[in-house]
Amino acid sequence: MQKKHKILILVLLTVFVFIGSVCGVFLVKPAMELKKLKELKLKDSSTAEYLGKMPETDEIYSWIKDLTDMGARKPGTEAGKKAQEYMVEKFTSFGLDNIDVVKSDATLWTCDEWGLTVSGAEIPSYYMTHTLNDGAFGKFSTPDGGLKTEIVYVGEGSESDFKNVDVQGKIVVSDVVFSDIPVGLAKFVSYLYYDPENTLPLTSSRANPYSPNTYPYNYYRAMENGAAGFVGILSNYIDSNEFNNEDYSYLGGKMKIPALWVSRTEGANIIEVIKTAGDAAEASLKMSVQIEEVKAGAVVGYLPGKSEDIIMIQSHYDSSTTGAVEDASGSSVVLALAKFYAQIPKEERDRSLLFVAMDTHFADYVSHDAFIEKYLTKGHKILADVCIEHIANEVKEVDGEVVFTGEIEPRIIFASEIDALLDITKEEIVRHGLQRTIILPTDMLGDELPTDADPYFQIGVPIISLVSAPIYLYDNIDTIDKVSKEELRPTTEAFADIVWRLTQLPKEDFSKN
Ligand SMILES: [Zn+2]
């Protein structure tokens, strides 16, 4: 054989071996594992004999309705107070012990007036939460008649976009572009990619409404460069301006200059006006906000077991909108688990359970931190935190209308890299048929988890955290129809089994990997 041919065969062999091992690692091994997982039967599950004690779908759904009927449940508002009383009343009626409201000082930001006029034409807009805030409490407004000044467009507002534009004293308009989540590619990095109906091919992706991405950095650049105000165009969002952003002061300090959101359609109109009028483009931005110090309160309920070691089960009941998916849905699954476990005799529970309803997801996580102070640094041994959020219907936009796809929004579970926790989670997800569930490494998005389990994860508590990111998560259209009603009970059943198995897992297995 000629030397050239030998080399070619060798190269080809190497390529085949490489492709073979890649396929083996990324496709064949997970497929074999999945085949085994699919053999698990519901009748063999840990809680199978107690299924009659599990709240039915309609009851779980009725709690979501009760919470969403209250309105935006921010700490310190009437709705927030009602929701807190509701969680206390539910925990009490289920028979939980040591019910506690962990109080903390929170900031309530509200806006009662806003508006935008560009070159004399009124533009529909929506307030950008947490802005016009320099850290002081009180009422703050733009000047009478609005902040009138030149308006400039800075594209996506990168550092170079700001270099050649003088924004001093002006209103800055910038595109806010959400990043794309490459859902399909998660197949190669996930611990489990459970999509039995093949609804999530490798190419599937979606816009992630959870910032930061170009935003809030473009906002902060405008502020640092002396802009008087900011208008964010929701460029790759549904055609809406009702985006209730989170508080990003942890990234760039207080959001001091006033700011408004506009939809992509209105944004295109504004850009057109600026291009035509140039330096002569003028705008008036009006905003009036109130910043108050209020009391927040996480609601805690306890169920003693044979051991004092604790498995914690949590979600958050606060919301910035009606908050059906975000997060009356997660809270109601926590209520369902509390009601279920309260009916299991103490002798049957190897460990104690702590049910926690947080209320400061939208208020700087102060209750979450107060909970850590009170429950995690004072000798309680929390072996694991199970966090449940966002049981959501998937939507898509067709001709400007938001319509349901008939599928559940893909679910992500972040689970600590502990063999036993990963095995339990995988097995119960597949056993209970929670399709479209992807278990991801905890460092997938950097050091922080984009879920309410993050504060506990950061201090070393093992976590299993369910979440999803439908595009409407922070929008006022997060109404009860967005909740995946038919998935409420299967989700509750799967997590009842996960919790049960955690109560039985040998202590040393919580740290083995
Ligand atoms: Zn949530």
Side-chain angles (χ1 to χ4, degrees):
M1 200 184 285
Q2 283 181 8
K3 199 177 169 191
K4 243 181 4 188
H5 284 161
K6 271 190 187 165
I7 293 171
L8 185 67
I9 288 170
L10 211 66
V11 169
L12 281 174
L13 265 176
T14 316
V15 170
F16 280 135
V17 169
F18 177 73
I19 292 174
S21 53
V22 167
C23 289
V25 170
F26 290 116
L27 298 172
V28 180
K29 198 172 157 239
M32 282 166 62
E33 189 183 19
L34 202 53
K35 201 172 161 219
K36 248 188 125 195
L37 289 170
K38 282 180 180 168
E39 288 166 10
L40 293 165
K41 301 271 182 299
L42 278 174
K43 67 175 177 52
D44 301 325
S45 88
S46 309
T47 61
E49 62 179 294
Y50 301 104
L51 268 191
K53 298 182 188 302
M54 190 92 57
E56 296 291 347
T57 300
D58 281 341
E59 185 174 15
I60 306 172
Y61 195 67
S62 75
W63 299 330
I64 298 175
K65 180 156 188 345
D66 291 342
L67 286 166
T68 52
D69 282 351
M70 293 171 194
R73 305 175 296 278
K74 293 180 183 178
T77 61
E78 275 313 302
K81 285 174 201 160
K82 259 194 202 166
Q84 187 183 98
E85 283 163 17
Y86 186 82
M87 298 312 273
V88 169
E89 185 262 314
K90 284 288 170 223
F91 280 0
T92 310
S93 70
F94 298 156
L96 302 193
D97 286 355
N98 304 346
I99 291 170
D100 184 20
V101 179
V102 183
K103 297 269 187 199
S104 51
D105 294 326
T107 301
L108 173 64
W109 183 103
T110 45
C111 179
D112 56 10
E113 204 189 354
W114 67 94
L116 179 68
T117 310
V118 178
S119 288
E122 200 145 318
I123 308 284
S125 64
Y126 190 72
Y127 54 79
M128 188 179 287
T129 321
H130 304 294
T131 63
L132 194 51
N133 176 6
D134 66 2
F137 296 109
K139 285 186 173 192
F140 307 94
S141 297
T142 46
D144 273 353
L147 178 73
K148 286 196 179 88
T149 180
E150 192 183 324
I151 186 165
V152 282
Y153 174 59
V154 297
E156 291 184 16
S158 66
E159 246 168 74
S160 61
D161 286 331
F162 274 94
K163 259 200 184 119
N164 301 315
V165 190
D166 174 20
V167 300
Q168 184 73 38
K170 299 174 188 171
I171 294 170
V172 165
V173 182
S174 183
D175 288 305
V176 168
V177 183
F178 296 117
S179 59
D180 237 20
I181 315 177
V183 176
L185 292 180
K187 198 165 203 164
F188 295 114
V189 292
S190 54
Y191 296 117
L192 177 78
Y193 194 90
Y194 185 54
D195 179 32
E197 309 286 328
N198 287 319
T199 59
L200 296 170
L202 287 180
T203 49
S204 54
S205 70
R206 61 205 51 236
N208 177 10
Y210 176 79
S211 291
N213 188 36
T214 57
Y215 174 80
Y217 302 108
N218 46 10
Y219 171 90
Y220 281 115
R221 284 188 194 111
M223 190 174 105
E224 283 151 17
N225 284 289
F230 182 86
V231 175
I233 303 172
L234 293 159
S235 303
N236 63 339
Y237 190 54
I238 46 177
D239 204 9
S240 158
N241 58 25
E242 296 183 343
F243 178 69
N244 296 271
N245 54 284
E246 297 202 10
D247 182 357
Y248 295 108
S249 52
Y250 67 95
L251 286 172
K254 290 290 174 198
M255 301 173 85
K256 293 179 188 167
I257 57 173
L260 299 171
W261 291 113
V262 295
S263 70
R264 58 168 195 259
T265 304
E266 298 303 344
N269 292 339
I270 296 173
I271 294 168
E272 201 51 45
V273 170
I274 294 174
K275 278 186 181 155
T276 314
D279 289 355
E282 267 222 340
S284 168
L285 188 157
K286 194 169 61 179
M287 198 175 189
S288 172
V289 308
Q290 183 163 347
I291 301 167
E292 301 160 73
E293 189 166 33
V294 294
K295 285 279 177 218
V299 181
V300 182
Y302 182 69
L303 270 182
K306 284 194 275 182
S307 144
E308 284 186 0
D309 290 334
I310 288 170
I311 305 298
M312 168 179 165
I313 300 131
Q314 61 140 342
S315 191
H316 64 96
Y317 67 84
D318 65 319
S319 68
S320 59
T321 69
T322 324
V325 164
E326 170 72 322
D327 218 321
S329 65
S331 298
S332 296
V333 173
V334 169
L335 287 176
L337 290 168
K339 186 170 183 184
F340 172 73
Y341 272 105
Q343 297 169 77
I344 307 291
K346 184 181 167 185
E347 313 73 66
E348 308 271 319
R349 276 194 314 269
D350 284 1
R351 295 205 168 98
S352 301
L353 301 178
L354 198 65
F355 295 89
V356 190
M358 299 290 175
D359 71 331
T360 52
H361 179 97
F362 293 97
D364 215 14
Y365 280 68
V366 289
S367 282
H368 297 65
D369 294 339
F371 173 83
I372 289 178
E373 173 71 22
K374 187 164 180 183
Y375 280 85
L376 282 153
T377 55
K378 304 256 167 76
H380 289 81
K381 181 61 190 162
I382 294 182
L383 293 178
D385 172 34
V386 176
C387 182
I388 300 159
E389 295 178 80
H390 314 170
I391 323 297
N393 278 325
E394 185 184 59
V395 299
K396 63 178 176 184
E397 201 177 356
V398 180
D399 300 329
E401 296 287 315
V402 171
V403 296
F404 293 108
T405 65
E407 300 277 2
I408 183 161
E409 178 74 21
R411 309 173 243 214
I412 305 292
I413 294 182
F414 292 97
S416 292
E417 278 76 4
I418 296 168
D419 288 346
L421 263 62
L422 285 170
D423 287 345
I424 288 172
T425 312
K426 281 182 200 175
E427 287 167 16
E428 298 312 329
I429 292 306
V430 178
R431 187 203 305 275
H432 289 274
L434 299 196
Q435 42 134 350
R436 300 189 124 203
T437 298
I438 304 167
I439 305 181
L440 286 178
T442 48
D443 60 359
M444 194 69 211
L445 303 172
D447 295 340
E448 288 178 8
L449 294 176
T451 81
D452 269 43
D454 187 61
Y456 317 105
F457 173 69
Q458 294 299 338
I459 56 168
V461 177
I463 56 106
I464 296 173
S465 182
L466 171 75
V467 77
S468 72
I471 188 74
Y472 54 78
L473 197 63
Y474 300 110
D475 200 279
N476 290 353
I477 63 164
D478 178 16
T479 42
I480 193 162
D481 54 324
K482 305 302 181 303
V483 174
S484 177
K485 187 177 178 184
E486 61 275 23
E487 291 290 338
L488 292 171
R489 169 85 186 220
T491 306
T492 306
E493 288 182 22
F495 277 87
D497 275 328
I498 288 172
V499 169
W500 191 286
R501 293 180 64 184
L502 292 177
T503 64
Q504 295 189 326
L505 191 68
K507 218 168 175 174
E508 61 272 18
D509 286 2
F510 282 88
S511 51
K512 258 190 217 161
N513 52 4

